Amino acid sequence: MIELPQRFIERIREQLGPEAEAFIGTYDEPRTQGLRLNPLKLGGPATGANGHESFRDELIRRFGLTPVPWCRDGYYYDEATKPGKHPYHQAGLYYIQEPSAMSAAELLDVQPGELVLDLAAAPGGKTTQIAGALAGRGLLVSNDIHPARAKILSENVERFGIANAVVTNASPDELAAKFSGAFDKIMLDAPCSGEGMFRKDPEAILEWSPDHVRMCAARQLDILDSAARLLKPGGTLAYSTCTFNREENEEALERFVERYPAFSVVRTERIWPHRHKGEGHFVALLRRQTDEEPASTAATSGRRDERCRRTDPADRSVREAMKLAEAMLRDVVPGFDLPAGEPVLFGEQLYWLPSVPGFPLRARDLNGLRTLRPGLHLAHVKKDRAEPAHSLAMAISTRQARSVASFDADGPEAGAYWRGETVPAPDGVNGWTAVAVDGYPIGWAKASGGQLKNHLPKGLRRPG
Ligand SMILES: C[S@@+](CC[C@H](N)C(=O)[O-])C[C@H]1O[C@@H](n2cnc3c(N)ncnc32)[C@H](O)[C@@H]1O
């Protein structure tokens, strides 16, 4: 039984009137659990004869999935099936996400090819959803201010197989100073007092107070200030919170629109747990009008990053690294085409930053920003060769790899691979081999002498 703060109950009664008791009653019910299937790996729900529908059906059956009405790829799952612990989770076939939280990215309605910013993105629920909507075209800048959370975000971007995302660890202000007026769409899933998370995260109850709500609202306005500067004229901003009070939602936006008359609120939506099957969420769509001068876009100045990152494609070391990587790509993933873009060399790590036609976000603009992932991680570059990066395995389909070893997800070979062990090589595989579970890549191995030498990164290996 959850004990709610008295002041919170009073405020809810003021806000909801006669509905308040039904709302308070939801705290005696179990919280809702959800997952979102990954269209980058599984295709869309009705994509015809590409072989994925049957696998979607398999996931639906295995995890007892039932659709979330407001999200195309969203499902409630049967808790007993524990999808978060299944190898398919590590294969990036879905993202565990509370169903209400799926509403914000749906409302933002991202289209393939757009330049999108997810300003407070960790651990990556909205980012993975937006990347699905981009369908590999355009670019997503995914940011979080907290270093440890940005690292988890970057890992989720990798697991989901997202090839067109840059992951940064910056303050909204730092980004606004660099990318003024650059983005078609911005997602701001703001840090909030978390009233909608009380069933999921009892710590949020302990932290809650009217003063905390006030502090959150002030912080939200600060972040909105930066979002206003980052959005292109004519662009749209989704603002969302997982809290119910008006101070952090409607009132924060009223104050914002007063301060920035070029913005208007197009639509707001609320998910209440006594009306919908979800924990609770607020989302608003705002539009920046077009009839103003576009601000100057992506800045090129900025101090160089402390670590040695080479972003000039004409730089000799970048050219040489790219030559080695191209040879590796031709050999290891002959079916994989690099989109238009440019290489970024970060020590021995080579990334590929896709370009978006007409948008000025170039690799050099990332100088001076803490960047965890400047695009798709392609390769580890050694003196005379390039080895495929784990991210590359996660971003390809088995059809694109020259050599593939696909194992049953629940079988002993997959288990041994997850533990970091050497696995007997199936007939016909040689050299760099994409290891897959049920046809979905999970990492690399190098085949020789009938064995697959394990190249799963140590941090991803699982005991048992
Ligand atoms: C609600 S969570 C984001 C959840 C994420 N969008 C998702 O869907 O997985 C809010 C995020 O805001 C970040 N944050 C906290 N303070 C911030 C600030 N002052 N500016 C920007 N982001 C901040 C937190 O690190 C946190 O990851």
Side-chain angles (χ1 to χ4, degrees):
M1 173 82 186
I2 288 175
E3 198 165 326
L4 298 168
Q6 196 49 39
R7 193 66 193 99
F8 171 70
I9 295 178
E10 287 162 18
R11 286 161 68 123
I12 282 290
R13 287 201 171 119
E14 278 163 33
Q15 194 174 352
L16 278 176
E19 274 185 60
E21 296 318 310
F23 168 81
I24 292 165
T26 60
Y27 288 94
D28 295 329
E29 293 163 17
R31 68 189 172 104
T32 37
Q33 313 265 16
L35 62 76
R36 203 168 20 73
L37 297 181
N38 182 355
L40 300 173
K41 289 178 188 269
L42 295 162
T47 42
N50 62 4
H52 291 298
E53 307 77 65
S54 56
F55 207 78
R56 278 183 169 251
D57 289 347
E58 162 65 17
L59 296 175
I60 288 168
R61 190 193 53 70
R62 184 183 277 253
F63 300 121
L65 304 182
T66 52
V68 170
W70 51 85
C71 176
R72 216 180 56 138
D73 289 308
Y75 293 89
Y76 303 98
Y77 64 78
D78 168 3
E79 222 180 308
T81 63
K82 300 201 181 332
K85 299 213 180 312
H86 195 276
Y88 293 154
H89 179 257
Q90 209 164 331
L93 298 194
Y94 44 80
Y95 188 98
I96 304 287
Q97 187 179 34
E98 192 284 300
S100 306
M102 299 171 187
S103 55
E106 286 292 315
L107 199 63
L108 189 58
D109 193 26
V110 165
Q111 298 299 315
E114 291 180 328
L115 182 61
V116 186
L117 171 66
D118 189 358
L119 191 49
K126 272 114 196 150
T127 272
T128 50
Q129 196 171 352
I130 291 167
L134 283 175
R137 286 185 281 143
L139 188 69
L140 170 61
V141 177
S142 194
N143 177 70
D144 203 274
I145 194 169
H146 287 298
R149 291 179 62 85
K151 186 166 174 284
I152 296 169
L153 170 67
S154 183
E155 288 161 4
N156 279 325
V157 164
E158 176 174 83
R159 183 174 63 81
F160 231 59
I162 300 168
N164 55 337
V166 170
V167 179
T168 56
N169 168 216
S171 71
D173 242 13
E174 281 175 280
L175 289 175
K178 269 198 172 277
F179 301 122
S180 169
F183 293 94
D184 295 311
K185 289 191 173 151
I186 297 180
M187 167 63 66
L188 171 51
D189 186 24
C192 69
S193 60
E195 293 166 353
M197 289 294 114
F198 284 178
R199 283 198 299 195
K200 186 178 162 192
D201 174 15
E203 278 205 8
I205 304 180
L206 298 176
E207 239 189 316
W208 189 93
S209 70
D211 278 349
H212 184 57
V213 168
R214 209 162 308 126
M215 185 282 283
C216 289
R219 181 169 60 188
Q220 287 149 357
L221 271 179
D222 272 356
I223 307 175
L224 275 164
D225 263 342
S226 302
R229 288 191 279 150
L230 285 154
L231 191 69
K232 197 183 244 181
T236 43
L237 162 69
Y239 172 81
S240 78
T241 71
C242 56
T243 213
F244 300 115
N245 69 73
R246 291 180 52 83
E247 209 169 328
E248 294 177 65
N249 295 319
E250 288 87 347
E251 288 169 22
L253 291 178
E254 280 159 21
R255 287 162 68 191
F256 171 71
V257 170
E258 247 169 53
R259 202 181 285 176
Y260 294 92
F263 280 78
S264 52
V265 177
V266 180
R267 189 170 164 187
T268 62
E269 277 180 11
R270 264 172 190 282
I271 294 180
W272 289 99
H274 63 292
R275 293 193 200 152
H276 308 98
K277 202 174 160 200
E279 294 301 287
H281 222 72
F282 172 87
V283 53
L285 201 65
L286 291 97
R287 193 172 155 78
R288 179 174 177 178
Q289 69 189 39
T290 38
D291 54 347
E292 41 170 345
E293 277 296 297
S296 65
T297 44
T300 53
S301 62
R303 64 188 163 81
R304 275 192 80 82
D305 200 272
E306 309 73 39
R307 287 189 280 172
C308 179
R309 187 192 305 139
R310 298 194 186 275
T311 54
D312 181 357
D315 183 299
R316 189 154 159 250
S317 56
V318 179
R319 271 190 291 129
E320 280 167 9
M322 201 52 217
K323 229 165 116 187
L324 294 171
E326 275 166 346
M328 177 276 288
L329 293 172
R330 274 194 302 275
D331 172 37
V332 178
V333 282
F336 175 77
D337 292 321
L338 278 180
E342 57 185 312
V344 180
L345 187 61
F346 207 158
E348 285 188 344
Q349 311 308 323
L350 185 70
Y351 294 81
W352 187 257
L353 175 67
S355 60
V356 183
F359 295 121
L361 199 150
R362 320 277 345 180
R364 62 175 181 266
D365 298 323
L366 299 173
N367 282 335
L369 275 186
R370 284 176 301 281
T371 308
L372 283 78
R373 189 174 286 276
L376 175 62
H377 189 191
L378 287 180
H380 310 280
V381 183
K382 310 281 176 178
K383 203 155 170 257
D384 55 353
R385 66 182 195 286
E387 296 185 347
H390 179 69
S391 298
L392 182 63
M394 300 307 288
I396 59 162
S397 73
T398 47
R399 285 188 305 277
Q400 293 170 311
R402 180 185 50 76
S403 178
V404 177
S406 186
F407 300 117
D408 180 355
D410 303 309
E413 296 92 346
Y417 182 77
W418 288 125
R419 290 193 295 275
E421 295 166 12
T422 297
V423 181
D427 288 344
V429 306
N430 60 75
W432 285 106
T433 297
V435 176
V437 289
D438 296 335
Y440 292 95
I442 53 171
W444 296 109
K446 204 165 181 190
S448 83
Q451 297 291 316
L452 285 170
K453 185 168 173 249
N454 200 313
H455 280 262
L456 186 66
K458 291 203 167 57
L460 296 177
R461 295 177 185 182
R462 307 190 309 196

